[in-house]
Amino acid sequence: MSAIRLLVLGAVRQRGRAHGYQVRNDLEHWGAHEWSNTKPGSIYHALKQMAKQGLLVAREVAPSTVGGPPRTEYEITDRGTQEFLALLREALVSHDEKMDALSAGIGFIVHLPREEAVALLKKRVERLEEWRRSVTDYYAPEGGPGQFGHIGEIMHLWVHSADAGAEWTRGLIDRIENGAYVFEGEERVHASTPAPPVSSLES
Amino acid sequence: MSAIRLLVLGAVRQRGRAHGYQVRNDLEHWGAHEWSNTKPGSIYHALKQMAKQGLLVAREVAPSTVGGPPRTEYEITDRGTQEFLALLREALVSHDEKMDALSAGIGFIVHLPREEAVALLKKRVERLEEWRRSVTDYYAPEGGPGQFGHIGEIMHLWVHSADAGAEWTRGLIDRIENGAYVFEGEERVHASTPAPPVSSLES
DNA sequence: TCTCTTCTATTCAACTTTGACTAGTGTATC
DNA sequence: GATACACTAGTCAAAGTTGAATAGAAGAGA
């Protein structure tokens, strides 16, 4: 999974209706161009591809209000919303996704109900622990450590990053369980912190 | 930078002369197919591409000894070796590379002199600290934290992973400076320990 | 001996990603 | 009043990636 579909679907969904340039600007505004592959080409390609697959519908629109080339606007379909949620869940649980997918997932996490967010993050921790086990099992066979020479350092790195990832995830679970942020279907009732809603993402 | 060029160049270099299937098997044997994009298609594409660019030379060879289709063997050129070393250095210092590039870099780190390896890893630590600073600067503007709502969690994640990465790198620097492993131009003279001291996996 | 799987070795079409390019309009500069 | 620059909006060719397909020979069991 790459992060771009999740990001583009999420951007279109928040706008209700958007053309490529708006999506591009939104993503840039979120800083996404610094940590993910959100080049113009990728965005326009994703839009076209997802329209072809029925996740978006294209509405042809006359030349831009302020002049410039004509543009195509898109809206998300029901299937697109399903896909968005599926990608979001996947991004949150799977450890092998790169940082870009996870970052995007966190960005959209409040679009899920609080309980589900917590459940997914707990699953993430499980997956990380499982992965850690599989690495250490492979790393410490008969013959003791040191079998692998400097290659052992790679496994060391993986274990280290699995631990760090699990620790961060546990911290996030705690904060969410203690009422931080405003999730889907809530209206600030949980907010023990004066954290703003998604509005910091928009505009 | 993707890891595949580094891996393929490294594989060909170690063999002296190799065809695609050998490279594929070597990488699989190293476990690279589990943590990087080393599908057959990618490997053959990389070989052809790098041959076209003069990093490898192709030698046409008659059908395989044991039957099966004919195959093409490759050797690395001087420019290819330069490129290999450049990619290796890049993989070791830059923090934004994904884990696959770093893992490959660690796999080949002993192809550099010990002093250079240490210097590159120290540079890596610097880069990580720099990145951490840039994230926290952006994260803690006027108005205090909480400005970003749940988006702050993304920065939190980055800081956490920068710290974990720096910690692991410092550990590796220590081990290398204390004589672990055998590097380019050495012949086990540095080995103060018989086995590499990669002890504290159960951190 | 016939078939089924495995091993050797590579190719291919489809899809994704990248970086550069196009093109019109407003706005500031000299 | 010309020139440069920035903004809006998107296209395109080239490169990279994926998963499946191809195809001959060898070994293993019925």
Side-chain angles (χ1 to χ4, degrees):
Chain A
M1 190 193 106
S2 70
I4 190 139
R5 282 178 166 238
L6 178 55
L7 286 165
V8 170
L9 279 175
V12 172
R13 189 164 180 261
Q14 286 200 340
R15 286 246 176 208
R17 171 188 274 234
H19 55 84
Y21 193 65
Q22 281 177 328
V23 171
R24 178 188 175 179
N25 275 0
D26 284 359
L27 295 186
E28 195 156 343
H29 188 251
W30 303 347
H33 61 297
E34 296 205 340
W35 46 268
S36 67
N37 54 337
T38 40
K39 320 278 184 293
S42 303
I43 293 168
Y44 287 102
H45 173 75
L47 284 169
K48 278 182 189 163
Q49 213 53 23
M50 293 196 294
K52 208 163 93 181
Q53 291 166 18
L55 307 178
L56 299 173
V57 272
R59 316 242 183 241
E60 290 298 332
V61 163
S64 146
T65 42
V66 297
R71 52 199 198 187
T72 309
E73 295 196 328
Y74 295 90
E75 284 172 32
I76 196 165
T77 63
D78 284 352
R79 283 194 43 224
T81 299
Q82 296 309 306
E83 177 74 3
F84 170 74
L85 293 172
L87 289 173
L88 176 50
R89 291 178 183 121
E90 183 64 18
L92 288 173
V93 294
S94 77
H95 83 275
D96 59 290
E97 303 304 348
K98 315 300 179 213
M99 283 264 283
D100 59 350
L102 178 55
S103 298
I106 297 300
F108 293 122
I109 195 173
V110 293
H111 293 250
L112 295 170
R114 186 178 298 266
E115 292 70 30
E116 185 177 6
V118 168
L120 291 169
L121 291 172
K122 284 184 175 168
K123 201 164 189 178
R124 178 182 188 79
V125 172
E126 271 173 46
R127 296 269 186 100
L128 282 166
E129 285 167 348
E130 203 176 302
W131 182 53
R132 187 199 204 283
R133 255 195 313 282
S134 79
V135 173
T136 50
D137 285 357
Y138 180 67
Y139 175 72
E142 356 65 71
Q147 280 273 329
F148 295 91
H150 74 283
I151 297 299
E153 294 290 352
I154 298 179
M155 327 244 182
H156 197 174
L157 164 64
W158 292 342
V159 168
H160 212 87
S161 84
D163 287 345
E167 196 186 312
W168 171 80
T169 309
R170 284 196 205 93
L172 178 55
I173 291 171
D174 274 1
R175 287 187 287 279
I176 294 177
E177 281 183 330
N178 285 317
Y181 316 123
V182 180
F183 284 75
E184 177 66 24
E186 300 176 352
E187 210 148 339
R188 297 181 175 282
V189 282
H190 284 273
S192 63
T193 48
V198 199
S199 58
S200 57
L201 253 181
E202 301 167 338
S203 82
Chain B
M1 193 193 102
S2 71
I4 189 139
R5 282 177 165 240
L6 177 56
L7 285 165
V8 170
L9 279 175
V12 172
R13 188 164 181 261
Q14 285 199 339
R15 285 247 177 206
R17 172 188 272 236
H19 53 85
Y21 193 64
Q22 282 177 327
V23 170
R24 178 189 175 178
N25 274 1
D26 285 0
L27 294 186
E28 194 156 343
H29 188 251
W30 302 348
H33 60 296
E34 296 205 338
W35 46 268
S36 66
N37 55 335
T38 41
K39 320 277 184 294
S42 303
I43 293 169
Y44 285 100
H45 174 75
L47 284 168
K48 278 182 188 162
Q49 211 56 23
M50 293 196 292
K52 208 163 92 182
Q53 291 166 16
L55 307 177
L56 299 173
V57 272
R59 315 241 183 241
E60 290 298 332
V61 163
S64 148
T65 43
V66 296
R71 51 199 198 188
T72 309
E73 295 196 328
Y74 296 89
E75 284 171 32
I76 196 166
T77 63
D78 285 352
R79 282 194 44 223
T81 299
Q82 296 308 306
E83 177 73 3
F84 169 74
L85 293 172
L87 288 173
L88 176 49
R89 290 177 183 120
E90 183 63 18
L92 288 173
V93 295
S94 78
H95 82 273
D96 58 290
E97 304 304 347
K98 316 302 180 209
M99 284 264 284
D100 60 349
L102 178 55
S103 298
I106 297 301
F108 291 123
I109 195 173
V110 294
H111 292 251
L112 296 169
R114 186 178 298 265
E115 292 72 29
E116 186 177 5
V118 169
L120 290 169
L121 291 171
K122 284 183 175 169
K123 200 164 187 175
R124 178 182 187 79
V125 172
E126 271 173 46
R127 297 270 187 99
L128 282 166
E129 284 168 347
E130 204 176 301
W131 183 53
R132 188 199 204 284
R133 255 196 313 281
S134 80
V135 173
T136 50
D137 285 359
Y138 181 68
Y139 175 71
E142 357 64 72
Q147 279 275 327
F148 295 90
H150 73 284
I151 296 300
E153 294 290 350
I154 298 180
M155 328 245 182
H156 196 174
L157 164 64
W158 293 341
V159 168
H160 213 87
S161 82
D163 287 346
E167 196 185 314
W168 171 80
T169 309
R170 284 195 204 93
L172 177 55
I173 291 171
D174 274 1
R175 289 188 286 278
I176 294 177
E177 280 184 332
N178 285 319
Y181 316 123
V182 180
F183 284 76
E184 176 66 23
E186 299 176 353
E187 211 146 338
R188 301 188 171 282
V189 283
H190 281 276
S192 63
T193 43
V198 190
S199 43
S200 60
L201 265 179
E202 313 301 326
S203 52

